[in-house]
Amino acid sequence: MKRTMNAGAVVKSVCLAVGAFFMLIPFLWMLSTAFKTPAELNIWPPKFLPNTLAWDNFVGVFKAAPFELYFLNSLLMAAISASCIVLTSTVAGYIFAKFRFFGRDALFALILATAIVPFEIYMIPLYLQMRALDLVNTFLGLVMPYFIMSFGIFFMRQNIMQQIPDEIIESARVEGASEWRTLFQVVMPLCAPPMSALGIFAFIEAWNSFVWPLLVVNVKELYTMELGLAMFQSSFGIDISVVSAGSLISITPILLVFIFLRRRILDSISRTGLK
């Protein structure tokens, strides 16, 4: 029995390793291409490792377009979106977890159902609303759809229900604390890990967004990193090395965030029962 389990574990590990390798191939190829010269891109059969590291590709990214401005726009958008989503999700999650009111479960189910609606379904009505509000080609119109996340409300509700006993909330109320004071001084400090994890999710989602910025922004001063990369492909032909270098620059902050905070992310996900 023990031998069968060990063999099964070995087969499972081998399958996971093979799957992980194939998933990493596009990233590794992009990493290799970012350091190749134009001559190395055209040789046949293609070589995976470049002969020399072409650092000029990264310099070319900033010469071809104001990439630092796009980086700043993406950073501001992602930071504001993450802050708003953490705040709104924590407040809504606290209400759904600790308050009893008519229609609570139905309202929560409705909010949760919106998480499965693809963005492409409602992006045109959303754009028309933004145009009616005269928010097209504005930073507020760019970031406003990322203020609330239905998954974030579910995520915080689950964590608050599991980590904060009702007795703590009742004790704060008995001592005269208002609901807002209870939320900010009792609930939020105890939910710091899941709030951090949610902030990371929201940051990554806003950072990687492409369709909405492409739809609502037409001025280059408001371009994000993703739009800047798309402009590279249209304005500078097929300079794959420069595009790959720009892509590597754009994903580096996300990789660093995940590498340094992966334990907190995985721990918060496991507490909600999501795997």
Side-chain angles (χ1 to χ4, degrees):
M1 182 66 181
K2 184 176 180 181
R3 180 177 299 176
T4 303
M5 293 180 62
N6 290 337
V10 170
V11 172
K12 182 179 179 180
S13 299
V14 171
C15 292
L16 290 174
V18 172
F21 174 74
F22 280 104
M23 293 180 68
L24 282 174
I25 287 178
F27 173 76
L28 295 176
W29 189 258
M30 181 196 70
L31 181 64
S32 170
T33 305
F35 291 97
K36 288 181 179 177
T37 61
E40 289 176 319
L41 289 174
N42 296 322
I43 62 174
W44 185 264
K47 294 176 60 178
F48 182 75
L49 295 177
N51 294 326
T52 58
L53 299 180
W55 293 102
D56 292 343
N57 294 333
F58 294 89
V59 179
V61 171
F62 292 94
K63 286 184 177 179
F67 217 59
E68 63 279 5
L69 177 61
Y70 304 158
F71 184 91
L72 180 61
N73 289 337
S74 290
L75 184 63
L76 285 175
M77 177 183 175
I80 294 174
S81 171
S83 301
C84 291
I85 285 177
V86 168
L87 179 62
T88 56
S89 299
T90 304
V91 173
Y94 173 58
I95 293 173
F96 282 114
K98 298 300 179 183
F99 287 83
R100 304 288 184 270
F101 54 89
F102 176 75
R104 183 193 65 169
D105 294 339
L107 180 60
F108 179 71
L110 180 63
I111 293 174
L112 197 59
T114 61
I116 64 174
V117 179
F119 177 71
E120 288 75 10
I121 297 295
Y122 58 87
M123 68 178 183
I124 297 302
L126 183 62
Y127 173 79
L128 295 177
Q129 290 179 358
M130 290 296 169
R131 192 176 65 176
L133 295 172
D134 198 20
L135 293 178
V136 175
N137 285 328
T138 65
F139 186 79
L140 182 59
L142 179 66
V143 72
M144 184 178 286
Y146 297 94
F147 282 175
I148 298 175
M149 179 190 287
S150 54
F151 167 76
I153 296 174
F154 166 77
F155 184 78
M156 291 308 303
R157 174 182 178 269
Q158 297 300 105
N159 277 280
I160 292 173
M161 288 179 63
Q162 296 177 8
Q163 297 185 26
I164 303 179
D166 293 340
E167 290 76 11
I168 294 179
I169 305 297
E170 293 299 329
S171 298
R173 291 170 179 168
V174 169
E175 293 179 1
S178 64
E179 294 297 341
W180 287 111
R181 186 177 178 184
T182 302
L183 173 64
F184 286 107
Q185 295 188 356
V186 177
V187 176
M188 286 188 173
L190 293 175
C191 291
M195 289 172 65
S196 301
L198 177 61
I200 296 168
F201 292 148
F203 188 92
I204 293 174
E205 182 187 26
W207 185 275
N208 292 329
S209 61
F210 175 73
V211 177
W212 177 248
L214 179 65
L215 191 65
V216 77
V217 170
N218 295 320
V219 291
K220 294 183 178 179
E221 289 75 13
L222 293 175
Y223 273 15
T224 60
M225 295 279 284
E226 304 298 329
L227 291 183
L229 289 174
M231 189 188 70
F232 276 12
Q233 299 180 50
S234 60
S235 299
F236 300 96
I238 314 175
D239 197 343
I240 300 177
S241 296
V242 175
V243 174
S244 298
S247 300
L248 186 60
I249 293 173
S250 68
I251 66 173
T252 298
I254 301 298
L255 287 178
L256 293 176
V257 167
F258 182 78
I259 290 172
F260 287 107
L261 301 176
R262 65 184 185 281
R263 288 187 177 179
R264 178 165 292 186
I265 295 174
L266 297 177
D267 181 60
S268 298
I269 291 176
S270 64
R271 290 182 183 181
T272 62
L274 299 175
K275 292 183 179 178

